[in-house]
């Protein structure tokens, strides 16, 4: 639409709710009896920080239809104020009038990092460290979280303040949109300028998603935050097998077996066809003692041997225990298995 | 030289509905004309049924716009559905432009019931461009049966030359 | 799975099966200085300072004594895991179980717990904007690396670590590298508590022990006067 004049906004009645204020007490799941005002007054005073920036009020936030729709889409419930959601979409800007999401996103970042880490360690206890860190990053990295934010249906505020004024929009309507100082500007068509200040759209989405998680923890408590992370982040798919990379698989397998006091690997040709043809196929099994660790096939014996060693290593590193309960699960009975780390030399 | 060198970077892929389901349709704009006869059905819908309809879908933002011409409904979708072929290829350059899919349908000369049906279609759509699937089943997961190997067939069932 | 069970070798399929014999070599262990091609005597490198790496009471008595002294032994850990906690990845080329993954797990919990803790403190002190505590001096102090140093030096955890000192002449080990190794050990201890006793217990350990030790010492003092 070229003009916004004559536009009527319809706000569904059920979406207009009355929320509590931002400083509503949350239920701490951790006991902090040691640090009361009486016992440690000076320590407590270190945690006081009153920034002069005002926070978005509930009344202002209620005026944005897209914010109300986003709130309903994420099923945040009545405990989660619209004002917090509006704050979660407000990144640090140069001329920002309202408190930004930087602190909320700090809280969210730490929560999501822990829950993904414990989940990954429970699921794949033997992953090499490099693969492990990248697998965690596949969930909590910028690309992943920005994709989550886009799936949430968060819109980016693309209009400049003057455009908004000319089209008759108020400031409140933009509370439902992601607001940030973009590092990328387009001075003319076909030219992109990457500035030093500001952030990219992906990073802004990441901050918003983290902040929403932080807000869920703040207003709805720990188990709700964990559920939110389970449903929106950990439900995504990461193919860990394709992340493994081996430069010298046979050598690595030898180290691994030697460390575990098992016989050194022996490759045995198990089947072959068309040795003198243009397309030979070999199947090689890699054995340690009597047990077949892995089997590979290839068009040369060397290739098949290498694949056999890779498959043997994959069988080891991608081991998944039957009991997949994470340590934060109160119903967990058995201790978590953490491996001893990979060998290097 | 270490036998083991790093890892290959990966990004998680969305599986909407595996954990929580987010309706892809996030915004619907209804554009009508105050004078034209082709807008009659939409005008009826706006006055009689829109409030009830919008209340049913609080996760969708409804916008009503007055503009001359035939009536139009326009849906905005936030799409990273696994069913989208662009997602299946895992091509990050393609991923970028499927996020804001727009679907536009003309509502001219439709009566109030037909308008509502068209709106339901917009609400329930994934927002993906229509395409013909090549396989009956599409999945992000590998086949559980694995790849057939001639060397691992039982002797009795083997092809005899 | 035995390869014979695949039915490829004994039955009449026509593969050429070649069984390699494993080669047997005689190894000579050199006891003197390093020599090219020789394998070092494990007794030479399985030591850290004057301590020998072994699963025995002597190596673990310090850390075990500490864990049994707090909260009436609530956080006690199995011996094998404790030895892993105090072994750094630099020790013995990673041949022995080391604490890297435990410390990654511990770090993620530690940073989450400090955030939760700070939010609670803000709640107690009735801050206008609870989340703003993240920008406070106290929160920044909680997240400084030296915070963990206080704990490791007070509990004496630093003395029992097995690691390979890259500066053999610096016997005190008072280098920056040594500090990193010590911090990793503290985090690995937290990670080990998560694995054995669950997240909630580990959070209590961080708040009631690690942070409490820092509050009791003068870690928060010098900045209190300026704050």
């Amino acid at each position: 639409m070229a003009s916004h004049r004559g536009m009527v906004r319809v706000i569904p009645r059920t979406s207009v709710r009355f929320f509590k204020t931002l400083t509503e007490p949350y239920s701490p799941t951790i006991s902090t009896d040691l640090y009361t005002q009486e016992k440690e007054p000076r320590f407590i005073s270190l945690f006081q920080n009153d920034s002069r920036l005002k926070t978005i009020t509930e009344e202002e936030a209620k005026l944005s239809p897209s914010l109300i729709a986003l709130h309903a889409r994420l099923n945040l419930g009545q405990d989660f104020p619209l004002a917090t959601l509006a704050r979660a979409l407000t990144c640090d800007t140069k001329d920002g009038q309202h408190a930004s999401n930087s602190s909320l996103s700090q809280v969210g970042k730490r929560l999501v990092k822990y829950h993904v880490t414990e989940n990954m360690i429970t699921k794949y206890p033997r992953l090499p460290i490099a693969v492990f860190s990248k697998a965690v990053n596949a969930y909590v990295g910028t690309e992943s979280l920005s994709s989550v934010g886009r799936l949430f249906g968060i819109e980016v505020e693309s209009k400049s303040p003057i455009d908004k004024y000319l089209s008759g929009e108020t400031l409140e309507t933009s509370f439902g949109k992601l607001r940030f100082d973009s590092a990328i500007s387009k001075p003319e068509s076909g030219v992109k300028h990457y500035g030093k200040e500001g952030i990219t759209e992906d990073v802004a989405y990441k901050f918003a998603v983290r902040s929403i998680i932080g807000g869920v923890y703040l207003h709805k408590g720990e188990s709700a935050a964990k559920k939110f992370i389970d449903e929106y982040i950990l439900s995504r798919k990461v193919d860990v097998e394709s992340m493994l990379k081996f430069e010298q698989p046979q050598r690595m397998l030898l180290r691994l077996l030697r460390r575990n006091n098992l016989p050194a690997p022996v490759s045995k040709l198990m089947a072959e066809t068309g040795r003198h043809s243009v397309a030979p196929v070999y199947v090689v099994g890699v054995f340690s003692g009597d047990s077949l660790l892995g089997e590979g096939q290839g068009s040369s014996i060397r290739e098949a041997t290498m694949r056999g060693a890779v498959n043997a290593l994959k069988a080891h590193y991608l081991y998944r225990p039957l009991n997949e309960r994470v340590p934060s699960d109160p119903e967990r009975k058995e201790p978590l298995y953490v491996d001893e780390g990979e060998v290097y030399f | 030289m270490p036998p083991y060198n790093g890892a290959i970077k990966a990004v998680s892929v969305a599986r909407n509905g595996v954990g929580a389901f987010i309706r892809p349709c996030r915004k619907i704009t209804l554009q009508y004309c105050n004078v034209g006869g082709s807008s009659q059905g939409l005008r009826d819908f706006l006055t009689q049924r829109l409030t009830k309809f919008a209340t049913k879908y609080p996760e969708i933002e409804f916008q009503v716009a007055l503009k001359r011409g035939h009536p139009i409904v326009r849906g905005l979708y936030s799409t990273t559905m696994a069913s989208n072929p662009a997602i299946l290829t895992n091509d990050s350059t393609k991923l970028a432009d499927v996020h804001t899919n727009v679907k536009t349908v003309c509502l001219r000369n439709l009566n109030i019931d037909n308008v509502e049906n068209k709106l339901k279609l917009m609400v329930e759509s994934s927002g993906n461009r229509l395409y013909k699937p090549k396989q009956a089943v599409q999945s992000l997961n590998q086949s559980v049966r694995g790849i057939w190997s001639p060397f691992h067939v039982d002797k009795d069932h083997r092809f005899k030359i | 799975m035995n390869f014979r069970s695949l039915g490829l070798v004994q039955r009449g399929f026509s593969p050429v099966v070649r069984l390699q014999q494993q080669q047997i070599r005689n190894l000579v262990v050199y006891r003197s200085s390093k020599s090219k091609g020789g394998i070092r005597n494990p007794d030479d490198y399985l030591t850290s300072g004057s301590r020998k790496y072994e699963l025995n009471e002597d190596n673990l008595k310090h850390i075990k004594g500490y864990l049994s002294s707090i909260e009436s032994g609530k956080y006690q850990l199995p011996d094998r895991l404790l030895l892993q906690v105090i072994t750094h990845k630099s020790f013995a080329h990673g041949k022995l179980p080391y604490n890297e993954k435990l410390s990654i797990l511990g770090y993620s919990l530690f940073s989450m717990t400090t955030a939760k803790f700070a939010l609670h403190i803000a709640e107690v002190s009735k801050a206008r904007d609870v989340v703003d505590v993240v920008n406070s001096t106290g929160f920044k102090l909680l997240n400084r690396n030296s915070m963990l140093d206080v704990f490791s030096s007070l509990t004496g955890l630093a003395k029992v670590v097995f690691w390979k000192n890259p500066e053999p002449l610096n016997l005190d080990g008072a280098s920056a590298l040594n500090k990193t190794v010590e911090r990793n050990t503290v985090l690995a201890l937290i990670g080990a508590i998560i694995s054995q006793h669950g997240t909630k217990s580990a959070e209590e350990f961080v708040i009631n022990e690690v942070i409490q030790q820092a509050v009791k010492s003068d870690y928060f003092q010098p900045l209190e006067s300026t704050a």
Side-chain angles (χ1 to χ4, degrees):
Chain A
M1 268 147 292
S3 161
H4 283 265
R5 280 186 198 152
M7 187 173 285
V8 187
R9 278 172 200 280
V10 178
I11 304 173
R13 266 181 216 158
T14 47
S15 294
V16 184
R17 298 173 187 134
F18 295 94
F19 292 97
K20 295 165 200 170
T21 56
L22 179 64
T23 50
E24 179 207 9
Y26 72 104
S27 54
T29 49
I30 42 180
S31 138
T32 48
D33 303 335
L34 286 170
Y35 312 90
T36 53
Q37 190 74 45
E38 295 76 42
K39 280 182 194 162
E40 306 281 353
R42 295 175 71 193
F43 176 69
I44 298 279
S45 70
L46 279 177
F47 288 86
Q48 281 164 5
N49 187 60
D50 262 343
S51 87
R52 295 284 148 230
L53 284 172
K54 61 179 179 183
T55 49
I56 298 165
T57 63
E58 199 62 26
E59 282 66 36
E60 287 171 327
K62 252 183 248 169
L63 296 173
S64 169
S66 53
L67 194 68
I68 295 169
L70 179 64
H71 191 278
R73 204 175 304 134
L74 297 182
N75 217 352
L76 291 171
Q78 296 209 351
D79 303 334
F80 195 103
L82 282 173
T84 307
L85 192 57
R87 185 176 184 176
L89 303 182
T90 313
C91 295
D92 272 325
T93 48
K94 236 189 275 172
D95 49 355
Q97 300 164 357
H98 293 100
S100 76
N101 61 11
S102 63
S103 38
L104 258 181
S105 94
Q106 269 286 328
V107 178
K109 174 188 168 185
R110 285 153 191 253
L111 282 166
V112 73
K113 189 82 188 274
Y114 174 72
H115 284 292
V116 172
T117 304
E118 73 163 9
N119 194 282
M120 217 57 207
I121 241 170
T122 316
K123 264 193 198 162
Y124 296 101
R126 283 188 191 151
L127 275 188
I129 287 293
V131 183
F132 176 78
S133 326
K134 287 209 172 156
V136 170
N137 220 35
Y139 284 104
V140 305
T142 309
E143 292 95 334
S144 171
L145 288 189
S146 62
S147 153
V148 173
R150 291 192 173 101
L151 191 66
F152 282 177
I154 300 172
E155 268 178 88
V156 173
E157 176 61 277
S158 47
K159 278 184 186 167
S160 66
I162 191 136
D163 285 341
K164 262 186 283 181
Y165 176 76
L166 289 174
S167 63
E169 277 187 53
T170 56
L171 178 69
E172 282 78 22
T173 54
S174 71
F175 282 156
K177 292 177 181 171
L178 185 60
R179 289 166 294 136
F180 62 99
D181 279 346
S182 179
I184 303 167
S185 54
K186 289 176 185 165
E188 55 190 276
S189 81
V191 177
K192 260 188 186 178
H193 177 69
Y194 291 83
K196 277 180 188 165
E197 286 179 2
I199 51 176
T200 59
E201 197 180 296
D202 278 7
V203 174
Y205 268 115
K206 175 176 80 178
F207 286 159
V209 172
R210 280 177 178 173
S211 307
I212 292 171
I213 292 166
V216 171
Y217 173 73
L218 201 64
H219 297 290
K220 298 174 75 179
E222 171 144 23
S223 53
K226 199 185 155 198
K227 188 162 170 272
F228 193 90
I229 293 167
D230 275 346
E231 284 183 349
Y232 292 101
I233 314 273
L234 285 167
S235 67
R236 296 166 70 82
K237 184 184 164 69
V238 173
D239 185 16
V240 181
E241 192 188 333
S242 65
M243 298 173 74
L244 289 162
K245 182 175 146 196
F246 302 106
E247 297 273 314
Q248 296 178 26
Q250 290 114 308
R251 210 172 164 192
M252 193 173 177
L253 186 62
L254 175 68
R255 298 272 155 178
L256 191 67
L257 293 174
R258 199 178 272 171
R259 196 258 282 273
N260 292 317
N261 295 322
L262 291 167
V266 177
S267 317
K268 296 175 184 175
L269 183 62
M270 292 169 60
E272 70 164 64
T273 181
R275 182 179 279 255
H276 300 297
S277 74
V278 73
V281 177
Y282 301 90
V283 177
V284 168
V286 177
F287 290 79
S288 168
D290 273 347
S291 37
L292 176 65
L293 303 178
E295 205 182 80
Q297 47 187 295
S299 57
S300 71
I301 294 181
R302 219 182 130 177
E303 186 190 348
T305 313
M306 207 162 200
R307 287 199 181 161
V310 166
N311 286 340
L313 286 170
K314 276 186 178 174
H316 173 80
Y317 284 118
L318 296 174
Y319 157 74
R320 281 179 81 157
L322 289 174
N323 181 13
E324 284 196 353
R325 287 194 182 275
V326 290
S328 59
D329 189 339
E331 285 169 27
R332 190 189 67 125
K333 300 274 187 319
E334 292 164 27
L336 174 74
Y337 164 61
V338 181
D339 84 324
E340 50 277 280
E342 80 258 43
V343 203
Y344 38 65
F345 54 93
Chain B
M1 187 183 153
Y4 159 73
N5 279 356
I8 298 159
K9 195 184 167 185
V11 178
S12 63
V13 184
R15 289 186 291 193
N16 197 2
V18 171
F21 175 71
I22 301 170
R23 190 185 288 283
C25 180
R26 61 176 166 85
K27 188 175 181 179
I28 285 179
T29 308
L30 296 155
Q31 182 187 306
Y32 73 105
C33 174
N34 243 349
V35 197
S38 62
S39 287
Q40 186 57 49
L42 181 57
R43 283 200 298 269
D44 291 346
F45 181 81
L46 292 180
T47 49
Q48 295 167 29
R49 296 191 192 167
L50 178 63
T51 322
K52 202 180 164 194
F53 192 85
T55 318
K56 205 172 153 192
Y57 301 104
E59 66 270 30
I60 301 173
E61 181 189 349
F62 286 89
Q63 245 187 10
V64 182
L66 175 61
K67 201 185 174 189
R68 275 176 60 195
H70 288 309
I72 281 173
V73 58
R74 186 175 285 129
L76 259 69
Y77 298 86
S78 53
T79 311
T80 37
M81 302 282 284
S83 60
N84 193 317
I87 312 289
L88 281 176
T89 56
N90 218 353
D91 185 347
S92 60
T93 52
K94 281 186 185 169
L95 277 176
D97 57 357
V98 293
H99 289 306
T100 49
N101 275 358
V102 183
K103 195 178 274 243
T104 314
V105 173
C106 183
L107 298 176
R108 72 170 160 170
N109 296 334
L110 296 185
N111 66 25
I112 183 166
D113 293 327
N114 291 347
V115 167
E116 188 166 350
N117 284 342
K118 276 278 183 269
L119 269 170
K120 276 183 187 158
L121 187 121
M122 305 296 284
V123 164
E124 281 160 17
S125 168
S126 73
N128 288 339
R129 266 163 280 160
L130 300 182
Y131 67 98
K132 190 179 177 219
K134 283 178 186 166
Q135 296 89 11
V137 178
Q138 290 192 337
S139 175
L140 291 169
N141 302 328
Q142 282 180 350
S143 156
V144 284
R145 287 177 64 181
I147 302 166
W148 180 81
S149 152
F151 299 104
H152 299 92
V153 180
D154 191 79
K155 192 193 161 200
D156 300 337
H157 304 295
R158 214 174 279 153
F159 192 69
K160 292 180 184 66
I161 306 166
Chain C
M1 187 171 62
N2 192 314
F3 70 92
R4 286 180 195 282
S5 65
L6 296 169
L8 299 173
V9 180
Q10 287 178 324
R11 301 178 197 177
F13 190 47
S14 58
V16 177
V17 179
R18 202 181 285 164
L19 296 174
Q20 286 179 350
Q21 283 298 316
Q22 199 177 344
Q23 288 188 339
I24 299 164
R25 289 187 295 164
N26 290 323
L27 297 180
V28 178
V29 177
Y30 277 77
R31 285 198 186 279
S32 59
S33 59
K34 275 188 190 176
S35 95
K36 202 176 176 186
I39 294 178
R40 285 179 73 196
N41 180 11
D43 292 346
D44 290 349
Y45 62 85
L46 288 186
T47 53
S48 192
S50 56
R51 289 170 303 119
K52 196 168 175 297
Y53 179 88
E54 237 178 358
L55 185 65
N56 59 17
E57 271 309 300
D58 226 31
N59 283 332
L60 300 179
K61 68 179 180 203
H62 189 88
I63 187 164
K64 271 176 105 169
Y66 167 70
L67 285 179
S68 54
S69 69
I70 51 168
E71 296 272 337
S72 58
K74 187 183 161 189
Y75 304 115
Q76 274 176 348
L77 299 169
D79 289 359
R80 208 166 270 281
L81 188 60
L82 276 179
L83 189 64
Q84 188 179 348
V85 164
I86 57 171
T87 308
H88 187 248
K89 66 175 175 178
S90 62
F91 192 69
H93 307 280
K95 276 182 197 162
L96 302 160
Y98 56 85
N99 63 16
E100 194 180 17
K101 206 171 263 181
L102 285 171
S103 70
I104 287 178
L105 183 62
Y107 175 72
S108 61
L109 181 113
F110 180 75
S111 55
M112 177 178 78
T113 311
T114 49
K116 284 183 181 177
F117 174 75
L119 285 176
H120 182 71
I121 295 292
E123 194 66 44
V124 168
S125 55
K126 295 189 176 58
R128 188 179 64 91
D129 180 9
V130 175
V131 197
D132 204 35
V133 74
V134 174
N135 302 321
S136 69
T137 325
F139 187 72
K140 278 168 194 155
L141 282 173
L142 273 184
N143 284 285
R144 278 225 300 237
N145 283 336
S146 42
M147 166 84 196
L148 296 170
D149 295 345
V150 177
F151 180 78
S152 67
S153 60
L154 279 177
T155 53
L157 213 60
K159 289 175 222 149
V160 296
V161 184
F162 285 104
W163 70 300
K164 188 186 179 186
N165 193 348
E167 305 163 70
L169 295 176
N170 184 1
L171 288 175
D172 302 339
S175 62
L177 253 174
N178 192 11
K179 287 276 179 227
T180 316
V181 174
E182 284 169 25
R183 282 167 205 149
N184 279 339
T185 312
V186 177
L187 294 171
L189 184 63
I190 297 169
I193 291 171
I194 300 171
S195 79
Q196 291 295 314
H197 304 294
T199 307
K200 197 162 181 294
S201 294
E203 281 181 332
E204 282 165 16
F205 178 79
V206 169
I207 291 168
N208 297 343
E209 302 303 325
V210 182
I211 299 177
Q212 182 65 10
Q213 294 281 5
V215 173
K216 273 185 194 164
S217 74
D218 55 355
Y219 176 68
F220 289 101
Q221 296 296 329
L223 279 120
E224 270 178 29
S225 48
T226 57

